């Protein structure tokens, strides 16, 4: 029993966590401790990360075997039924920005442009072409519930944009300007937010697990209820981040 408790503790979970929770915690920890993220010239940290990764792998494997052999496993709901509860994804495809014409009013010149654009493919219209407008700034844009997973918004300006419930997991947001943007319940899992401007941004209940906010300006940002780790384990990188007046997940204000 002590060994079992230790496996849960390694993954930062409470005893009896579900298989989905085990797998998610494992992915988060691997992202943080993978040796590829450690400078190659720091042998001490490389050895520590390698040992930690082995411990994480072993704990996940042991807990997974226990769940697979458990007689209660057949009573568990399928993974596909649980996914919508935490995936932060919209059920409908992303709609283009209002400044873009609708399908019914698409002109011949737009069709010609899309033929010459190497990034637009007919079968990816909602996953790639539609989300990326032909101008740099997206100030005040309505991107509510948009599927922007793994997209590149580096150095773009989205001041005051509405990104509530948007999926920005694994996206590249280096030096993005999100001042006073609405990111309520946005999924920023493993997002790269290096040196991002998040002054006064609404990040309430956002998923920040695995996000890199090194050097980001979070002055007066609202992080109440934001997901930043498991238990007491913080899984957000905040090296050099500016937190003056930031409302922290527990509601306290950082001085």
């Amino acid at each position: 029993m002590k060994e079992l408790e230790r496996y849960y503790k390694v993954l930062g979970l409470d005893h009896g966590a579900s298989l989905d929770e085990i797998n998610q915690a494992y992915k988060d920890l691997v992202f943080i401790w993978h040796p590829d993220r450690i400078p190659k010239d720091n042998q001490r940290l490389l050895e520590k990360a390698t040992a930690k990764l082995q411990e994480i792998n072993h704990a996940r494997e042991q807990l997974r075997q226990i769940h697979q052999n458990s007689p209660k496993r057949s009573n568990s709901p399928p993974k596909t039924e649980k996914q919508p509860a935490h995936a932060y994804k919209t059920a409908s495809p992303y709609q283009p920005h209002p400044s873009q014409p609708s399908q019914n009013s698409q002109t011949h010149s737009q069709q010609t442009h899309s033929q010459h654009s190497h990034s637009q493919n007919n079968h990816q219209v909602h996953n790639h072409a539609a989300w990326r407008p032909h101008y740099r700034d997206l100030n005040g844009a309505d991107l509510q519930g948009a599927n922007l997973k793994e997209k590149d918004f580096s150095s773009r300006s989205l001041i005051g944009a509405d990104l509530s419930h948007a999926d920005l997991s694994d996206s590249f947001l280096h030096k993005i300007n999100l001042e006073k943007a609405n990111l309520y319940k946005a999924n920023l899992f493993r997002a790269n937010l290096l040196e991002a401007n998040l002054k006064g941004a609404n990040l309430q209940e956002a998923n920040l697990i695995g996000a890199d906010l090194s050097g980001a300006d979070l002055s007066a940002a609202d992080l109440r209820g934001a997901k930043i780790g498991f238990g007491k384990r913080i899984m957000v990188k905040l090296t050099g981040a500016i937190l003056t007046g930031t409302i922290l997940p527990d509601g306290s204000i950082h001085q």
Side-chain angles (χ1 to χ4, degrees), residues 20-186:
D20 281 344
E21 291 172 328
I22 291 169
N23 288 333
Q24 186 62 66
Y26 168 78
K27 291 177 183 178
D28 295 342
L29 289 168
V30 168
F31 176 79
I32 293 171
W33 285 101
H34 200 287
D36 287 349
R37 294 175 59 84
I38 307 297
K40 301 303 179 186
D41 58 350
N42 194 327
Q43 191 60 35
R44 183 183 64 81
L45 280 182
L46 279 172
E47 291 175 0
K48 184 176 181 179
T50 300
K52 187 69 176 179
L53 196 59
Q54 290 175 345
E55 184 182 22
I56 293 165
N57 283 330
H58 180 67
R60 194 279 294 261
E61 188 60 32
Q62 293 301 314
L63 291 177
R64 188 169 62 174
Q65 288 181 9
I66 291 170
H67 273 265
Q68 288 175 342
N69 296 329
S70 172
K72 296 180 180 180
R73 183 170 170 260
S74 60
N75 297 326
S76 300
K79 186 177 180 181
T80 53
E81 292 179 11
K82 291 187 69 177
Q83 188 173 356
H86 62 269
Y88 299 99
K89 292 183 180 178
T90 177
S92 58
Y94 167 60
Q95 297 298 317
H97 189 274
S99 64
Q100 295 176 326
S102 64
Q103 271 188 324
N104 295 334
S105 62
Q106 190 175 32
T107 65
H108 176 71
S109 62
Q110 288 175 305
Q111 293 172 349
T112 302
H113 174 80
S114 63
Q115 290 171 358
H116 289 282
S117 174
H118 70 280
S119 64
Q120 288 184 327
N121 297 300
N122 289 335
H123 67 283
Q124 294 180 322
V125 64
H126 288 304
N127 293 330
H128 181 76
W131 75 269
R132 191 175 185 115
H134 305 298
Y135 48 86
R136 186 175 183 81
D137 294 339
L138 288 162
N139 295 334
D142 184 1
L143 298 170
Q144 187 176 175
N147 180 6
L148 304 172
K149 185 176 181 179
E150 300 178 358
K151 302 304 181 185
D152 186 353
F153 281 97
S154 55
S155 299
R156 291 200 172 200
S157 181
L158 284 89
I159 298 173
D162 187 356
L163 288 151
S164 56
H165 298 275
D167 184 0
L168 288 155
S169 56
D170 292 300
S171 56
F172 192 75
L173 310 174
H174 183 211
K175 292 187 177 180
I176 191 172
N177 189 347
L178 287 165
E179 186 171 353
K180 296 183 179 178
N182 182 13
L183 290 150
Y184 173 71
K185 282 194 174 183

